[in-house]
Amino acid sequence: MSQNTMNLKVKVWRQKNANAQGAFVTYDVAGISDEMSFLEMMDILNEKLITEGGDPVAFDHDCREGICGMCSMYINGKPHGPWQANTTCQLHMRAFKDGETIVIEPWRANSFPIVKDLTVDRSAFDRIIQAGGYISVNTGNAVDGNSLPIEKQNADDAFAAAMCIGCGACVAACKNSSAMLFLSAKVSHLALLPQGAPERKSRVLNMVAQMDKEGFGSCTNTGACEATCPKEISIANIARLNKEYLGASLSAE
Amino acid sequence: MTFKQMFTSSVGKKLVMAFTGIFLVLFLVVHAGLNACIWAMDGGVMFNKAAHFMGSFVVPRILEIGLFLGIFLHIIQGYMLTLENRSKRKVGYEVNYAKGSKWYSRSMAILGTILLMFFIIHWKHFWIPSRITGVAEMDLGNGFVVHNLYGVMQDTFQNVWVVLFYVISCISLSYHLAHGFQSAFKTIGVHNKRYHTMITSIGYGFAIIIPLAFALMPISFYLHWVK
């Protein structure tokens, strides 16, 4: 198999720190193989910048296997780039054409302040999880998995919700900068399982309160989040979250 | 947890939009049903009787207060949510993401604004003359005199610009409902795929049939389909 090489222009958002004024800078990157991953192309650009004595483009990445949720680029107007159900690290250069200009922006939301260039601070998600996205388990021996029967459909739905890697693409794609797809995945995941039942009501109330405190917008069910989610989290989870919230808030003291 | 905390959270604000929205959907059915009396082909007798019942009987008058509250709550909450949601992204994108959501889902505030302008003009055409400034009367015999709102419709819809404006408003209503109907049910928690598919289909049907019925009313008068 022969590989094709291409020359591209990359228009990247550069911003020194959270308070600095940012701007787009366009770079030429030459000799990019269509078999490279998108982040390898970014590595080549950064190598070039370092060699020339410049400042490399800061971007988040970790596993490069599509499971950690660290990569977070808004490529040509879509979080994680043009491919469906895909993270930036799993995007390959064959998605682009020779001579193309690729526009790369950071996630844009007040709740995700820019740290540098394409790196944003997503610790708001961590604080939402800390507000209730867990189950309290007593220490001791792990119980036998089969001691708690779980209906197959619930297990499947909970697993599908647990696929959320917390990358924040839903917030980036939403016109309201709403974190509802993320939150609904986390709430659904535990609401569907017996382990999540004891803290079910306090969980949804506390997590919604924390989400509002972090300054995310309200959901208007446009569906942009679902369409861009690399893990294809269903928007049905948002409806489930609404039901959980309505029930919990009506019955709370 | 207080009701205030409940309805002022991000999810609670949506609940207000959904509950008032569903209430307004029910109102549309009543309004379209009553107005359909213009097609009785009896010179407006049945329509004027129906309008008289709505205007003089105590139950619809009490419901009318609820209707106004519902409309204003929906409008005010809608604008507040739109402004608040817009403020959540101070720096916008260079390349805007458009795929993945329908244009009308993203344009509820614009569609709603067209509808608000329509309401103001619509109230001025019919509600204010009927309730405040007075309209010509129709004698149905035996001393039964009613407002001739049918005649007001006939006069109002002779102006082609008014007819056009009503039709455009009906198209806006159609798209507003196409998103709003199913979205409201999602907001009150219908996540079951079977029911959600059903509600979405009913919503699209409703978004076509009701605005179409409304749009045909001014057109019927303008083209003299009803006399």
Short mmCIF file of all heavy atoms in Angstrom, two decimals, chain B residues 47-48 50-56 61 64 122-137 146-150 152-153 156:
data_model
loop_
_atom_site.label_atom_id
_atom_site.label_comp_id
_atom_site.label_asym_id
_atom_site.label_seq_id
_atom_site.Cartn_x
_atom_site.Cartn_y
_atom_site.Cartn_z
N PHE B 47 -70.25 30.26 14.03
CA PHE B 47 -69.01 30.82 14.56
C PHE B 47 -69.29 31.90 15.59
O PHE B 47 -68.69 31.92 16.67
CB PHE B 47 -68.14 31.37 13.41
CG PHE B 47 -66.91 32.08 13.90
CD1 PHE B 47 -65.79 31.36 14.31
CD2 PHE B 47 -66.87 33.47 13.98
CE1 PHE B 47 -64.66 32.00 14.79
CE2 PHE B 47 -65.74 34.12 14.45
CZ PHE B 47 -64.63 33.38 14.85
N ASN B 48 -70.21 32.80 15.28
CA ASN B 48 -70.51 33.88 16.21
C ASN B 48 -71.12 33.37 17.51
O ASN B 48 -70.86 33.90 18.58
CB ASN B 48 -71.45 34.90 15.55
CG ASN B 48 -70.69 35.83 14.61
OD1 ASN B 48 -69.47 35.95 14.70
ND2 ASN B 48 -71.41 36.48 13.71
N ALA B 50 -70.45 30.40 18.81
CA ALA B 50 -69.34 29.78 19.55
C ALA B 50 -68.50 30.86 20.23
O ALA B 50 -68.13 30.73 21.40
CB ALA B 50 -68.47 28.96 18.59
N ALA B 51 -68.23 31.94 19.48
CA ALA B 51 -67.43 33.04 20.03
C ALA B 51 -68.17 33.70 21.19
O ALA B 51 -67.57 34.07 22.21
CB ALA B 51 -67.12 34.06 18.94
N HIS B 52 -69.50 33.78 21.06
CA HIS B 52 -70.31 34.37 22.12
C HIS B 52 -70.25 33.53 23.39
O HIS B 52 -70.11 34.05 24.50
CB HIS B 52 -71.76 34.50 21.64
CG HIS B 52 -72.68 35.08 22.68
ND1 HIS B 52 -72.70 36.43 22.95
CD2 HIS B 52 -73.57 34.50 23.52
CE1 HIS B 52 -73.58 36.66 23.92
NE2 HIS B 52 -74.12 35.50 24.28
N PHE B 53 -70.31 32.20 23.19
CA PHE B 53 -70.21 31.28 24.33
C PHE B 53 -68.88 31.47 25.06
O PHE B 53 -68.82 31.59 26.28
CB PHE B 53 -70.35 29.83 23.85
CG PHE B 53 -70.00 28.81 24.89
CD1 PHE B 53 -70.87 28.52 25.93
CD2 PHE B 53 -68.77 28.15 24.85
CE1 PHE B 53 -70.54 27.58 26.90
CE2 PHE B 53 -68.43 27.21 25.82
CZ PHE B 53 -69.31 26.93 26.84
N MET B 54 -67.80 31.54 24.27
CA MET B 54 -66.47 31.68 24.87
C MET B 54 -66.33 33.01 25.61
O MET B 54 -65.64 33.11 26.60
CB MET B 54 -65.37 31.58 23.79
CG MET B 54 -65.24 30.21 23.15
SD MET B 54 -64.91 28.88 24.32
CE MET B 54 -63.15 29.05 24.56
N GLY B 55 -67.01 34.04 25.06
CA GLY B 55 -66.85 35.37 25.65
C GLY B 55 -67.78 35.63 26.83
O GLY B 55 -67.49 36.48 27.67
N SER B 56 -68.90 34.90 26.90
CA SER B 56 -69.88 35.24 27.92
C SER B 56 -69.96 34.23 29.06
O SER B 56 -70.40 34.55 30.16
CB SER B 56 -71.27 35.37 27.29
OG SER B 56 -71.61 34.15 26.65
N ARG B 61 -63.87 32.22 30.55
CA ARG B 61 -63.28 33.50 30.98
C ARG B 61 -62.24 33.29 32.06
O ARG B 61 -61.22 33.97 32.10
CB ARG B 61 -64.37 34.47 31.49
CG ARG B 61 -65.41 34.87 30.46
CD ARG B 61 -64.80 35.29 29.13
NE ARG B 61 -63.77 36.29 29.26
CZ ARG B 61 -64.00 37.59 29.25
NH1 ARG B 61 -65.22 38.05 29.11
NH2 ARG B 61 -63.02 38.43 29.36
N GLU B 64 -59.27 31.84 30.50
CA GLU B 64 -58.55 32.86 29.73
C GLU B 64 -57.45 33.52 30.57
O GLU B 64 -56.38 33.83 30.05
CB GLU B 64 -59.55 33.92 29.24
CG GLU B 64 -58.96 34.87 28.22
CD GLU B 64 -59.99 35.88 27.73
OE1 GLU B 64 -60.76 36.39 28.57
OE2 GLU B 64 -60.01 36.17 26.52
N HIS B 122 -52.60 40.15 16.31
CA HIS B 122 -53.82 39.33 16.38
C HIS B 122 -54.76 39.83 17.49
O HIS B 122 -55.97 39.92 17.30
CB HIS B 122 -53.40 37.88 16.65
CG HIS B 122 -54.53 36.89 16.60
ND1 HIS B 122 -55.37 36.76 15.52
CD2 HIS B 122 -54.95 35.96 17.50
CE1 HIS B 122 -56.26 35.81 15.76
NE2 HIS B 122 -56.03 35.32 16.96
N TRP B 123 -54.21 40.20 18.64
CA TRP B 123 -55.02 40.76 19.73
C TRP B 123 -55.67 42.06 19.28
O TRP B 123 -56.80 42.35 19.59
CB TRP B 123 -54.16 41.00 20.99
CG TRP B 123 -53.82 39.76 21.74
CD1 TRP B 123 -54.61 38.66 21.87
CD2 TRP B 123 -52.62 39.48 22.47
NE1 TRP B 123 -53.96 37.70 22.63
CE2 TRP B 123 -52.75 38.18 23.02
CE3 TRP B 123 -51.44 40.19 22.72
CZ2 TRP B 123 -51.76 37.59 23.79
CZ3 TRP B 123 -50.46 39.61 23.50
CH2 TRP B 123 -50.61 38.31 24.02
N LYS B 124 -54.85 42.86 18.55
CA LYS B 124 -55.35 44.15 18.08
C LYS B 124 -56.49 43.94 17.07
O LYS B 124 -57.46 44.69 17.06
CB LYS B 124 -54.19 44.93 17.42
CG LYS B 124 -54.49 46.40 17.21
CD LYS B 124 -53.30 47.10 16.62
CE LYS B 124 -53.72 48.40 15.94
NZ LYS B 124 -54.50 48.19 14.71
N HIS B 125 -56.39 42.92 16.25
CA HIS B 125 -57.43 42.64 15.25
C HIS B 125 -58.73 42.16 15.89
O HIS B 125 -59.81 42.54 15.47
CB HIS B 125 -56.96 41.55 14.27
CG HIS B 125 -56.06 42.08 13.19
ND1 HIS B 125 -55.14 41.29 12.54
CD2 HIS B 125 -55.95 43.31 12.65
CE1 HIS B 125 -54.50 42.00 11.64
NE2 HIS B 125 -54.97 43.24 11.69
N PHE B 126 -58.62 41.27 16.89
CA PHE B 126 -59.83 40.59 17.36
C PHE B 126 -60.12 40.74 18.86
O PHE B 126 -61.23 41.05 19.23
CB PHE B 126 -59.77 39.09 17.00
CG PHE B 126 -59.68 38.86 15.52
CD1 PHE B 126 -58.46 38.54 14.92
CD2 PHE B 126 -60.80 39.00 14.71
CE1 PHE B 126 -58.38 38.35 13.55
CE2 PHE B 126 -60.72 38.81 13.34
CZ PHE B 126 -59.51 38.49 12.76
N TRP B 127 -59.11 40.49 19.68
CA TRP B 127 -59.38 40.43 21.12
C TRP B 127 -59.76 41.82 21.65
O TRP B 127 -60.74 41.95 22.37
CB TRP B 127 -58.15 39.88 21.87
CG TRP B 127 -58.45 39.50 23.29
CD1 TRP B 127 -58.97 38.33 23.74
CD2 TRP B 127 -58.27 40.33 24.45
NE1 TRP B 127 -59.12 38.35 25.09
CE2 TRP B 127 -58.70 39.56 25.56
CE3 TRP B 127 -57.79 41.62 24.67
CZ2 TRP B 127 -58.66 40.07 26.87
CZ3 TRP B 127 -57.75 42.12 25.96
CH2 TRP B 127 -58.19 41.35 27.04
N ILE B 128 -58.98 42.84 21.28
CA ILE B 128 -59.24 44.19 21.80
C ILE B 128 -60.59 44.73 21.31
O ILE B 128 -61.39 45.19 22.14
CB ILE B 128 -58.05 45.14 21.50
CG1 ILE B 128 -56.84 44.69 22.34
CG2 ILE B 128 -58.40 46.60 21.82
CD1 ILE B 128 -55.54 45.39 22.02
N PRO B 129 -60.93 44.62 20.02
CA PRO B 129 -62.27 45.07 19.60
C PRO B 129 -63.38 44.31 20.32
O PRO B 129 -64.38 44.89 20.75
CB PRO B 129 -62.30 44.77 18.10
CG PRO B 129 -60.89 44.73 17.68
CD PRO B 129 -60.11 44.24 18.85
N SER B 130 -63.21 43.01 20.48
CA SER B 130 -64.25 42.19 21.08
C SER B 130 -64.44 42.48 22.57
O SER B 130 -65.56 42.51 23.07
CB SER B 130 -63.90 40.71 20.86
OG SER B 130 -64.66 39.91 21.71
N ARG B 131 -63.33 42.72 23.26
CA ARG B 131 -63.41 42.89 24.72
C ARG B 131 -63.50 44.36 25.14
O ARG B 131 -64.08 44.67 26.17
CB ARG B 131 -62.17 42.28 25.39
CG ARG B 131 -62.07 40.81 25.29
CD ARG B 131 -62.81 40.11 26.43
NE ARG B 131 -62.91 38.70 26.12
CZ ARG B 131 -63.89 38.16 25.40
NH1 ARG B 131 -64.89 38.91 24.95
NH2 ARG B 131 -63.91 36.88 25.13
N ILE B 132 -62.87 45.24 24.40
CA ILE B 132 -62.73 46.62 24.88
C ILE B 132 -63.43 47.64 23.98
O ILE B 132 -64.37 48.31 24.39
CB ILE B 132 -61.23 46.99 25.06
CG1 ILE B 132 -60.59 46.02 26.09
CG2 ILE B 132 -61.08 48.44 25.57
CD1 ILE B 132 -59.10 45.97 26.05
N THR B 133 -62.99 47.74 22.73
CA THR B 133 -63.47 48.85 21.90
C THR B 133 -64.82 48.57 21.25
O THR B 133 -65.47 49.48 20.75
CB THR B 133 -62.43 49.22 20.83
OG1 THR B 133 -62.10 48.03 20.10
CG2 THR B 133 -61.17 49.81 21.45
N GLY B 134 -65.23 47.31 21.23
CA GLY B 134 -66.55 46.98 20.69
C GLY B 134 -66.55 46.67 19.20
O GLY B 134 -65.75 47.21 18.44
N VAL B 135 -67.47 45.76 18.81
CA VAL B 135 -67.61 45.40 17.39
C VAL B 135 -69.09 45.44 17.02
O VAL B 135 -69.97 45.46 17.88
CB VAL B 135 -67.05 43.99 17.10
CG1 VAL B 135 -65.55 43.95 17.25
CG2 VAL B 135 -67.69 42.94 17.99
N ALA B 136 -69.35 45.42 15.70
CA ALA B 136 -70.74 45.40 15.22
C ALA B 136 -71.43 44.13 15.72
O ALA B 136 -70.78 43.14 16.02
CB ALA B 136 -70.74 45.43 13.70
N GLU B 137 -72.76 44.20 15.81
CA GLU B 137 -73.47 43.05 16.36
C GLU B 137 -74.29 42.33 15.30
O GLU B 137 -74.56 42.87 14.22
CB GLU B 137 -74.36 43.51 17.51
CG GLU B 137 -73.50 43.96 18.70
CD GLU B 137 -74.31 44.39 19.90
OE1 GLU B 137 -75.44 44.86 19.70
OE2 GLU B 137 -73.79 44.26 21.02
N VAL B 146 -75.42 38.89 19.24
CA VAL B 146 -74.01 38.53 19.53
C VAL B 146 -73.08 39.44 18.75
O VAL B 146 -73.48 40.09 17.77
CB VAL B 146 -73.71 37.05 19.15
CG1 VAL B 146 -74.54 36.10 20.00
CG2 VAL B 146 -73.96 36.81 17.66
N HIS B 147 -71.82 39.48 19.20
CA HIS B 147 -70.78 40.20 18.44
C HIS B 147 -70.60 39.53 17.08
O HIS B 147 -70.50 38.31 17.01
CB HIS B 147 -69.44 40.14 19.18
CG HIS B 147 -69.37 41.11 20.32
ND1 HIS B 147 -68.38 41.06 21.28
CD2 HIS B 147 -70.15 42.16 20.65
CE1 HIS B 147 -68.56 42.03 22.15
NE2 HIS B 147 -69.63 42.72 21.79
N ASN B 148 -70.51 40.34 16.02
CA ASN B 148 -70.29 39.75 14.70
C ASN B 148 -68.79 39.66 14.41
O ASN B 148 -68.25 40.38 13.58
CB ASN B 148 -71.00 40.57 13.63
CG ASN B 148 -70.94 39.88 12.27
OD1 ASN B 148 -70.52 38.73 12.17
ND2 ASN B 148 -71.36 40.59 11.24
N LEU B 149 -68.12 38.73 15.13
CA LEU B 149 -66.67 38.57 14.92
C LEU B 149 -66.37 37.97 13.55
O LEU B 149 -65.29 38.17 12.99
CB LEU B 149 -66.08 37.69 16.02
CG LEU B 149 -65.79 38.46 17.33
CD1 LEU B 149 -65.59 37.50 18.48
CD2 LEU B 149 -64.58 39.36 17.18
N TYR B 150 -67.35 37.24 13.03
CA TYR B 150 -67.22 36.69 11.67
C TYR B 150 -67.04 37.84 10.68
O TYR B 150 -66.18 37.78 9.79
CB TYR B 150 -68.46 35.88 11.35
CG TYR B 150 -68.39 35.12 10.05
CD1 TYR B 150 -67.75 33.89 9.98
CD2 TYR B 150 -69.01 35.62 8.89
CE1 TYR B 150 -67.70 33.18 8.79
CE2 TYR B 150 -68.97 34.90 7.69
CZ TYR B 150 -68.32 33.68 7.65
OH TYR B 150 -68.27 32.98 6.48
N VAL B 152 -65.86 40.77 11.40
CA VAL B 152 -64.53 41.37 11.62
C VAL B 152 -63.49 40.58 10.84
O VAL B 152 -62.59 41.14 10.22
CB VAL B 152 -64.20 41.42 13.13
CG1 VAL B 152 -62.82 42.04 13.36
CG2 VAL B 152 -65.26 42.18 13.90
N MET B 153 -63.61 39.24 10.89
CA MET B 153 -62.66 38.39 10.15
C MET B 153 -62.75 38.69 8.65
O MET B 153 -61.73 38.86 7.98
CB MET B 153 -62.97 36.90 10.38
CG MET B 153 -62.44 36.37 11.70
SD MET B 153 -62.91 34.63 11.95
CE MET B 153 -61.45 33.78 11.38
N THR B 156 -61.07 42.03 8.02
CA THR B 156 -59.62 42.00 8.29
C THR B 156 -58.87 41.28 7.17
O THR B 156 -57.81 41.72 6.74
CB THR B 156 -59.34 41.30 9.64
OG1 THR B 156 -60.13 41.94 10.64
CG2 THR B 156 -57.87 41.39 10.01
#
